[in-house]
């Protein structure tokens, strides 16, 4: 892995993790599904416009169209939709921790559903991840954590896991920014329907809302997704996914710094164990492909 790939991976992890804090700011002043639909509409239009200006085409391969639709539905509409709704009731740090378990769920699903053989290091990583999650959830549930919010976070990360398992070939064949933009528009269309059916237009216009919306739209929404596809195209999905072990650290740290969310020693211990489990699983996959 070269230096450029390292910086791309670190940048992606930081941008991806920061989205939970900015989302928490947004849902404090705006209905979650409406805000998310608008975010994807703006991000998608910008992404498609830039892609066209760069000479990219919407003539995608069959695998790319499949990836575009699946990620638009599962990642943008379901995963982020449930996360935005949940963050009306749960802290951004918890949302970041739950979402960061996706690599563990992918490995666990591959073992249980597809009968993939795992290396001993991967089994150790799965066990560590389960222990870390149990530590954090046990402590927070006893402290009165909202169980409906937790359930929504769980549904969201399962949708993201399904998308990750289902899609292959999205980063090959070029037109990466076009794919990113079209995914955003797919998510926007589905979320708009849900927002009209379930929410009222009740927004508290504040400077923080404007800044958080602009940041979420441009940085985690558009730039991070584009960087992810470039990283996968450069070093492969297995090696790129290793950077997910940074997400629990970054997500919790950013939420604590910007939102003042409190952290206990149980939270810190759980985050360290989960991150170690993710790293072990991903390193075992890297070793298997070399």
């Amino acid at each position: 892995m070269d230096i450029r790939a390292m910086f791309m991976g670190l940048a992606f992890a930081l941008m991806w993790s920061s989205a939970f804090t900015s989302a928490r700011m947004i849902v404090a002043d705006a209905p979650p599904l409406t805000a998310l639909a608008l975010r994807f509409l703006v991000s998608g239009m910008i992404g498609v416009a830039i892609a066209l200006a760069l000479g990219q085409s919407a003539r995608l391969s069959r695998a790319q169209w499949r990836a575009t639709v699946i990620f638009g539905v599962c990642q943008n509409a379901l995963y982020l939709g449930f996360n935005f709704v949940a963050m009306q009731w749960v802290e951004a740090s918890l949302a970041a921790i739950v979402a960061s378990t996706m690599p563990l769920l992918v490995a666990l699903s591959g073992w249980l559903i597809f009968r993939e053989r795992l290396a001993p290091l991967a089994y150790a990583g799965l066990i560590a991840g389960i222990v870390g999650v149990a530590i954090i959830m046990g402590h927070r549930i006893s402290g009165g954590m909202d169980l409906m919010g937790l359930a929504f976070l769980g549904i969201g990360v399962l949708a993201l896991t399904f998308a990750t398992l289902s899609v292959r070939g999205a980063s090959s064949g070029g037109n990466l920014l076009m794919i990113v933009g079209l995914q955003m528009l797919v998510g926007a269309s589905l979320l708009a329907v849900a927002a009209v059916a379930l929410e009222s237009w009740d927004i508290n216009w504040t400077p923080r809302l404007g800044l958080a919306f602009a940041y979420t739209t441009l940085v985690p929404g558009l730039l991070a997704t584009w960087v992810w596809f470039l990283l996968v195209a450069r070093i492969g999905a297995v090696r790129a996914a290793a950077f997910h072990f940074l997400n629990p650290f970054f997500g919790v740290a950013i939420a604590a710094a910007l939102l003042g969310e409190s952290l206990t020693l149980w939270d810190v211990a759980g985050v360290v164990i989960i991150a170690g489990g993710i790293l072990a699983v991903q390193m075992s996959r890297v070793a298997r492909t070399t």
Side-chain angles (χ1 to χ4, degrees):
M1 188 180 301
D2 56 37
I3 296 297
R4 183 175 179 181
M6 289 287 294
F7 278 112
M8 290 170 64
L10 290 171
F12 164 76
L14 184 61
M15 291 186 289
W16 190 88
S17 302
S18 69
F20 301 97
T21 294
S22 58
R24 177 75 167 166
M25 294 178 181
I26 290 171
V27 301
D29 293 311
L33 298 179
T34 300
L36 191 57
L38 289 173
R39 166 197 157 175
F40 281 135
L41 177 62
V42 175
S43 295
M45 292 176 65
I46 292 174
V48 170
I50 295 175
L52 291 173
L54 295 174
Q56 295 186 16
S57 171
R59 294 181 178 179
L60 307 179
S61 68
R62 184 173 181 178
Q64 287 177 323
W65 274 119
R66 180 170 176 265
T68 298
V69 173
I70 289 178
F71 266 97
V73 173
C74 293
Q75 176 177 281
N76 296 339
L78 294 178
Y79 160 62
L80 285 172
F82 276 106
N83 267 261
F84 263 59
V85 173
M87 276 190 283
Q88 296 174 108
W89 314 308
V90 301
E91 293 184 329
S93 58
L94 178 63
I97 291 168
V98 173
S100 70
T101 62
M102 184 271 290
L104 299 175
L105 292 174
V106 169
L108 182 61
S109 299
W111 176 49
L112 293 176
I113 299 174
F114 301 106
R115 304 299 182 185
E116 294 179 357
R117 297 183 61 183
L118 300 179
L121 182 61
Y123 285 113
L126 286 175
I127 294 172
I130 293 170
V131 170
V133 170
I135 289 173
I136 294 173
M137 296 308 166
H139 168 68
R140 295 208 178 196
I141 289 174
S142 65
M145 177 181 60
D146 189 281
L147 296 182
M148 179 64 76
L150 177 60
F152 278 17
L153 293 177
I155 295 171
V157 75
L158 288 176
L160 182 59
T161 301
F162 173 79
T164 304
L165 288 168
S166 301
V167 173
R168 298 292 186 271
S171 61
S172 61
N175 299 312
L176 293 181
L177 192 53
M178 178 64 73
I179 293 172
V180 171
L182 292 174
Q183 287 177 6
M184 304 293 180
L185 295 179
V186 170
S189 62
L190 295 176
L191 288 164
V193 174
V196 170
L198 300 173
E199 295 178 342
S200 60
W201 186 267
D202 184 16
I203 300 177
N204 180 30
W205 298 100
T206 64
R208 189 179 79 160
L209 173 61
L211 290 172
F213 183 85
Y215 175 82
T216 305
T217 299
L218 299 175
V219 181
L222 186 61
L223 183 58
T225 307
W226 183 47
V227 169
W228 170 254
F229 280 121
L230 290 176
L231 182 64
V232 169
R234 188 175 186 87
I235 64 175
V238 173
R239 287 178 172 81
F243 286 97
H244 278 291
F245 92 95
L246 295 170
N247 293 331
F249 292 114
F250 286 159
V252 168
I254 294 170
L258 297 183
L259 298 177
E261 294 185 2
S262 60
L263 293 176
T264 67
L265 289 177
W266 292 108
D267 292 323
V268 174
V271 165
V272 171
I273 294 171
I274 291 171
I278 294 171
L279 184 61
V281 168
Q282 295 306 133
M283 289 297 98
S284 71
R285 296 179 66 194
V286 170
R288 191 174 61 185
T289 59
T290 56

